[in-house]
Amino acid sequence: MPSITAIIGRPPSSTLISLAAVCHSPISTDRRPSPLVSTDSSLVAAMELLPEMAMINPSAAAISRRTHYHLVAATTRTNSIFNSSSLFFIRPPTTDPFRSQSHHLPPKAKAAAAVISDNLVFPDPDFSQQAHVPNFHKYAEMYKRSIEEPAEFWSEMASEFHWNNKWDQEQVYSENLDITKGSIHIQWFKGGITNICYNCLDRNIESGNGEKIALHWEGNEPSHHSSSLTYNQLLDRVSQLANYLKQNGVKKGDSVIIYLPMLMELPISMLACARIGAVHSVVFAGFSAESLEQRIIDCKPKLVITCNAFKRGHKVINLKDIVDSALSGSSQNGTYVGLCLTYANESALKREATKWQTERDVWWQDVVPNCSTKCDVEWVDGEDPLFLLYTSGSTGKPKGVVHTTGGYMVYTAATFKYAFDYKPSDVYWCTADCGWITGHSYVAYGPLLNGATVVVYEGVPNYPDPGRCWDIVDKYKVTIFYTAPTLVRSLMRDGDEYVTRYSRQSLRVLGSVGEPINPSAWRWFFDVVGNSRCPISDTWWQTETGGFMITPLPGAWPQKPGSATFPFFGVQPVIVDEKGKEMEGECSGYLCVKTSWPGAFRTLFGDHERYETTYFSAFPGYYFSGDGCRRDKDGYYWLTGRVDDVINVSGHRIGTAEVESALVSHPKCAEAAVVGIEHEVKGQCIYAFVTPVEGVGYSEELKKSLVLSVRTNIGAFAAPEKIHWAPGLPKTRSGKIMRRVLRKIASRQLDELGDTSTLADPNVVDQLIALSDS
Ligand code: 6R9
């Protein structure tokens, strides 16, 4: 007997209510499904209006004829991902008798009708109708093709762009993801000659969009005048900087470090490098001098592009001082950089007040505007490197993730278009900084490749008050808003009033990235920010993946708050157990990916071996993401967080080893062990166990100075929330720290410590517990 487990209403803003049934097995025509389950009285009432629902027939035609309801989507059983159940979504036509009924529902009941039972949230039929992928059927068809014929599928996507020469038609891609069969390699569109800057700017201008706004820039201060650049103007600015770089000897393949806050000059610098084939390495402006120095030493840039200072909320940050310190440190370590191009950001700091080294430093405004606005592009191979971006791993040394041109271009463009259902009339705002991968793929490249209008915001999202985001949304009529769960949680805590005082009528799609979004934050984002009418794209992906991997396609299927739902085209996620065995259907385990996708990273800069061991050795044959994952009975994917030694604080990836090495660099720290624990707003926070050197007592001053050591070694965002004194650390007899025990002590789950008998000294645990509140 098939059982119907969910009946779902539509968003209350709409005049329709659609109903759906999720069936565990196909419904047979001759039997009635088991009683409908609904906790919501308005829907029970709705059901009474629809007695036909009790006789759902899987045939679309039959449903249409008998009940005047349309079957809008049904999964197929063609792929293992969807084999756990079949979904049937039934939507009433506009002439439905229930339509008038929904008008009369009290607001509360309407809201409840939007999201009920089994946590499914249905898309608005009007939204679905206009979406690139209007239903699950269309998705399944495209997905199937992307897996069965990847070369053809991605060649079609790639053909939307300009290539001077087409890629090798015989071999659109080549890959080896199996370490047991030799060295790992991934290539897409090899032999294709293109340029991503040309495709972002010149191509859009040639197609008649030169006067369209490319970037709207909003400063930290609401009173600060904002500015905008059209695609024509952006191309001029990019070309001037590209010419300046060329004049200063920057050539194809050279690295350039960009250490800038969210000024227009940041995407301009990235595009200028791309235009001349230079490899940019953006370093987030929140990183410390030591971190910047480490990256300079690793990639040996031709120059550093920065600004003198910037404002973040009430604070002024003297960025140039940090660069000075990093450059002097790197030259002492043998890497000398002779040019520091500095943008004078005079709203934060006057030129005269900036420390200057005449032989090395050059003001951007003194040289770049004098350069020509015409700059020929450097045509590069699809597999030539586009950028390096350092990211945290399980050791103290960050990894330089390398992305190449062609595959990254096609993949970021396609994911942006489909996962946000992008249309040319959209105004798009992503709150991420270009210092992280999200800013690369979804502030700069993905949107610009689609010819989008992008808002770039300099400041903090809750400055001067928690309503700032919605003020910006109303000001620019933002239609797609993409942010991180940590911001959602922090704004949620500040109360609805900051949201509801703004219209937000322009919004049509919301997005989330960086960490799992907890269902309560999801619901607040959906109900309060999006007025229960904007689908949320909860996009799971990584610096390494270049673009979205598991993501809802808005309008195509019902969402479950907290689930990233289904894989993007061309992505074959697999969940494996500890032995690397692929699991089918409903399961939990380690998230891996089988076969390559165009946006995948190709290597780690200067360390291909580390690339192979970190990502491809744990489970031979697969790319291992480092994340845990669950697949539910309906085939939806739920990311459950990192399973390695990486902590995710406010969506920032921080390696425990990095924080530990920053702590032990303090002269009074003998040993440190860092774990991540749950935090209401940040998702996770850093909790450090520290053993001071012999003879040094525990004191508040020492705690402060240990935290400072992390701030200066890594950056303020990595500062430990708590320092816990440790006379000793719980180690196994082989000397390995048992982090599991530390995690339980840190989160005060003392009854879940588990077996501690294998510790070299089990007494350590009691000592640590005794020091919990000191
Ligand atoms: C894009 C980005 C990657 C790690 C990743 C995972 C976590 C990102 C997520 C998510 C659950 C999502 N993560 N998006 N977890 N749901 N929608 O954040 O890249 O900085 O490299 O971090 O972030 O743990 O492995 P990156």
Side-chain angles (χ1 to χ4, degrees):
M1 183 74 160
S3 67
I4 293 185
T5 56
I7 319 263
I8 309 301
R10 284 204 37 220
S13 57
S14 153
T15 53
L16 295 174
I17 285 196
S18 65
L19 301 169
V22 178
C23 309
H24 283 195
S25 57
I27 300 167
S28 72
T29 43
D30 54 17
R31 282 199 225 149
R32 291 183 157 230
S34 58
L36 303 161
V37 178
S38 171
T39 51
D40 182 79
S41 58
S42 62
L43 272 168
V44 171
M47 294 315 304
E48 281 159 13
L49 286 171
L50 304 170
E52 301 91 339
M53 272 297 287
M55 299 203 298
I56 295 169
N57 187 305
S59 142
I63 287 174
S64 249
R65 229 181 15 251
R66 256 201 301 185
T67 71
H68 306 291
Y69 284 72
H70 302 305
L71 179 71
V72 294
T75 64
T76 58
R77 290 176 164 259
T78 51
N79 190 289
S80 64
I81 292 162
F82 310 123
N83 67 2
S84 56
S85 70
S86 300
L87 303 180
F88 295 89
F89 310 143
I90 291 127
R91 176 201 297 158
T94 40
T95 52
D96 189 77
F98 188 67
R99 187 178 188 177
S100 53
Q101 200 72 16
S102 76
H103 273 309
H104 300 119
L105 290 177
K108 273 259 157 70
K110 281 190 182 183
V115 185
I116 60 158
S117 185
D118 207 29
N119 287 334
L120 276 167
V121 179
F122 270 70
D124 185 313
D126 299 336
F127 187 104
S128 300
Q129 208 163 32
Q130 60 78 59
H132 291 305
V133 180
N135 53 47
F136 200 91
H137 179 72
K138 171 82 177 161
Y139 162 73
E141 190 182 286
M142 287 176 77
Y143 181 77
K144 185 168 180 272
R145 178 149 183 261
S146 74
I147 301 302
E148 289 174 359
E149 298 168 15
E152 291 78 1
F153 182 90
W154 289 111
S155 289
E156 266 168 40
M157 295 271 174
S159 299
E160 294 189 10
F161 298 98
H162 174 87
W163 300 78
N164 258 5
N165 262 335
K166 272 234 163 160
W167 52 92
D168 183 350
Q169 299 296 294
E170 299 300 305
Q171 201 175 33
V172 176
Y173 69 99
S174 106
E175 67 183 26
N176 173 38
L177 269 57
D178 190 343
I179 192 84
T180 62
K181 297 195 175 130
S183 180
I184 304 296
H185 83 271
I186 297 172
Q187 281 185 344
W188 281 84
F189 309 116
K190 177 91 181 136
I193 302 297
T194 189
N195 182 290
I196 197 170
C197 173
Y198 183 90
N199 276 297
C200 284
L201 305 179
D202 312 56
R203 186 182 55 99
N204 284 319
I205 292 168
E206 279 156 26
S207 64
N209 285 316
E211 287 309 304
K212 184 174 178 182
I213 300 289
L215 301 177
H216 280 302
W217 183 77
E218 171 77 10
N220 180 62
E221 301 299 327
S223 56
H224 192 297
H225 77 279
S226 42
S227 52
S228 305
L229 291 177
T230 62
Y231 272 84
N232 282 327
Q233 291 166 329
L234 180 58
L235 175 59
D236 287 354
R237 298 276 189 99
V238 166
S239 299
Q240 286 181 315
L241 178 62
N243 278 322
Y244 176 77
L245 296 177
K246 279 212 283 199
Q247 282 164 23
N248 284 277
V250 181
K251 294 186 297 299
K252 181 179 168 199
D254 288 340
S255 333
V256 172
I257 284 220
I258 304 170
Y259 186 60
L260 278 169
M262 286 295 273
L263 302 173
M264 293 263 211
E265 283 65 27
L266 177 45
I268 289 173
S269 300
M270 293 161 67
L271 290 162
C273 289
R275 191 164 191 85
I276 62 169
V279 180
H280 59 71
S281 176
V282 182
V283 178
F284 172 56
F287 272 113
S288 67
E290 275 77 359
S291 293
L292 178 60
E293 178 188 325
Q294 195 179 22
R295 287 154 175 75
I296 291 170
I297 293 170
D298 196 62
C299 80
K300 312 207 174 348
K302 269 277 157 83
L303 80 159
V304 172
I305 304 179
T306 189
C307 73
N308 56 346
F310 69 102
K311 280 196 188 153
R312 229 181 127 63
H314 294 288
K315 281 193 266 174
V316 173
I317 292 145
N318 283 339
L319 210 60
K320 179 69 169 35
D321 288 354
I322 301 175
V323 178
D324 287 350
S325 154
L327 286 175
S328 101
S330 69
S331 64
Q332 278 162 27
N333 279 297
T335 302
Y336 176 73
V337 180
L339 178 59
C340 178
L341 182 65
T342 309
Y343 182 80
N345 189 18
E346 300 215 68
S347 66
L349 184 72
K350 295 282 167 229
R351 284 192 191 207
E352 308 77 74
T354 309
K355 288 200 206 108
W356 208 243
Q357 292 193 21
T358 335
E359 70 293 350
R360 188 198 63 196
D361 304 340
V362 175
W363 288 115
W364 173 306
Q365 286 92 330
D366 288 351
V367 291
V368 177
N370 305 333
C371 295
S372 161
T373 54
K374 300 277 165 286
C375 176
D376 289 342
V377 304
E378 178 80 35
W379 297 105
V380 302
D381 191 280
E383 275 302 329
D384 278 334
L386 172 63
F387 66 85
L388 300 181
L389 184 59
Y390 289 90
T391 189
S392 294
S394 340
T395 73
K397 189 174 182 277
K399 305 174 281 199
V401 166
V402 177
H403 281 285
T404 55
T405 306
Y408 177 83
M409 173 170 85
V410 174
Y411 198 70
T412 52
T415 45
F416 177 79
K417 173 177 165 182
Y418 287 102
F420 291 134
D421 187 46
Y422 170 75
K423 304 284 161 50
S425 54
D426 279 315
V427 176
Y428 167 79
W429 180 25
C430 164
T431 61
D433 191 293
C434 285
W436 307 107
I437 190 66
T438 306
H440 282 63
S441 303
Y442 301 108
V443 173
Y445 293 116
L448 295 177
L449 284 164
N450 279 279
T453 294
V454 181
V455 175
V456 173
Y457 173 48
E458 180 191 26
V460 267
N462 51 6
Y463 176 81
D465 69 39
R468 184 68 188 275
C469 283
W470 323 120
D471 183 30
I472 295 174
V473 164
D474 283 357
K475 179 170 173 184
Y476 297 99
K477 304 274 176 290
V478 170
T479 58
I480 306 172
F481 177 72
Y482 186 38
T483 193
T486 182
L487 179 67
V488 175
R489 286 191 296 266
S490 116
L491 296 180
M492 182 173 147
R493 204 180 47 175
D494 292 322
D496 296 5
E497 207 273 318
Y498 283 109
V499 185
T500 52
R501 69 165 75 141
Y502 295 96
S503 142
R504 294 157 287 111
Q505 258 317 308
S506 54
L507 288 174
R508 59 179 209 97
V509 178
L510 302 173
S512 166
V513 62
E515 56 174 312
I517 178 161
N518 46 309
S520 62
W522 195 104
R523 280 165 193 280
W524 184 82
F525 200 24
F526 181 78
D527 289 331
V528 180
V529 174
N531 279 348
S532 310
R533 63 181 164 73
C534 308
I536 299 179
S537 287
D538 173 3
T539 59
W540 175 79
W541 61 296
Q542 307 177 295
T543 305
E544 293 85 344
T545 70
F548 306 151
M549 297 294 279
I550 301 182
T551 176
L553 299 186
W557 56 75
Q559 296 189 255
K560 295 191 185 186
S563 165
T565 74
F566 296 112
F568 191 71
F569 306 129
V571 175
Q572 294 190 66
V574 290
I575 301 181
V576 301
D577 64 15
E578 310 82 76
K579 296 199 179 91
K581 193 172 157 301
E582 206 172 312
M583 292 185 279
E584 298 286 332
E586 199 178 345
C587 61
S588 282
Y590 302 103
L591 180 62
C592 292
V593 186
K594 185 159 60 174
T595 77
S596 75
W597 61 100
F601 68 141
R602 307 301 201 243
T603 189
L604 291 178
F605 183 67
D607 202 348
H608 196 69
E609 203 182 316
R610 187 173 180 197
Y611 172 74
E612 295 181 333
T613 49
T614 311
Y615 301 101
F616 298 94
S617 297
F619 305 113
Y622 305 111
Y623 162 74
F624 173 44
S625 66
D627 279 339
C629 185
R630 176 170 75 83
R631 189 168 43 215
D632 71 15
K633 60 182 169 40
D634 302 318
Y636 282 65
Y637 286 82
W638 299 78
L639 279 301
T640 52
R642 302 288 305 190
V643 294
D644 56 8
D645 292 331
V646 171
I647 304 176
N648 192 330
V649 182
S650 301
H652 296 153
R653 265 168 76 166
I654 302 163
T656 51
E658 280 175 84
V659 182
E660 285 162 7
S661 80
L663 288 167
V664 294
S665 73
H666 190 287
K668 292 189 176 158
C669 174
E671 205 173 10
V674 163
V675 294
I677 61 162
E678 255 180 59
H679 186 280
E680 204 190 329
V681 172
K682 299 176 183 176
Q684 281 190 300
C685 69
I686 296 176
Y687 193 110
F689 292 85
V690 171
T691 312
V693 292
E694 256 327 286
V696 171
Y698 305 147
S699 69
E700 279 308 305
E701 290 72 57
L702 181 53
K703 277 191 183 174
K704 281 195 192 127
S705 111
L706 285 162
V707 171
L708 188 66
S709 174
V710 180
R711 296 173 80 99
T712 51
N713 274 282
I714 306 174
F717 62 92
E721 195 83 8
K722 161 104 182 163
I723 304 275
H724 186 135
W725 298 123
L729 292 169
K731 291 183 186 166
T732 58
R733 283 178 206 114
S734 60
K736 203 169 175 337
I737 296 172
M738 256 203 206
R739 282 172 208 279
R740 170 179 63 79
V741 172
L742 291 178
R743 254 179 239 123
K744 296 292 176 199
I745 297 175
S747 50
R748 308 288 187 267
Q749 293 168 301
L750 302 180
D751 46 347
E752 293 172 28
L753 286 174
D755 181 13
T756 53
S757 61
T758 55
L759 289 173
D761 176 8
N763 293 329
V764 165
V765 175
D766 292 333
Q767 291 171 351
L768 287 176
I769 294 171
L771 284 163
S772 284
D773 297 312
S774 61

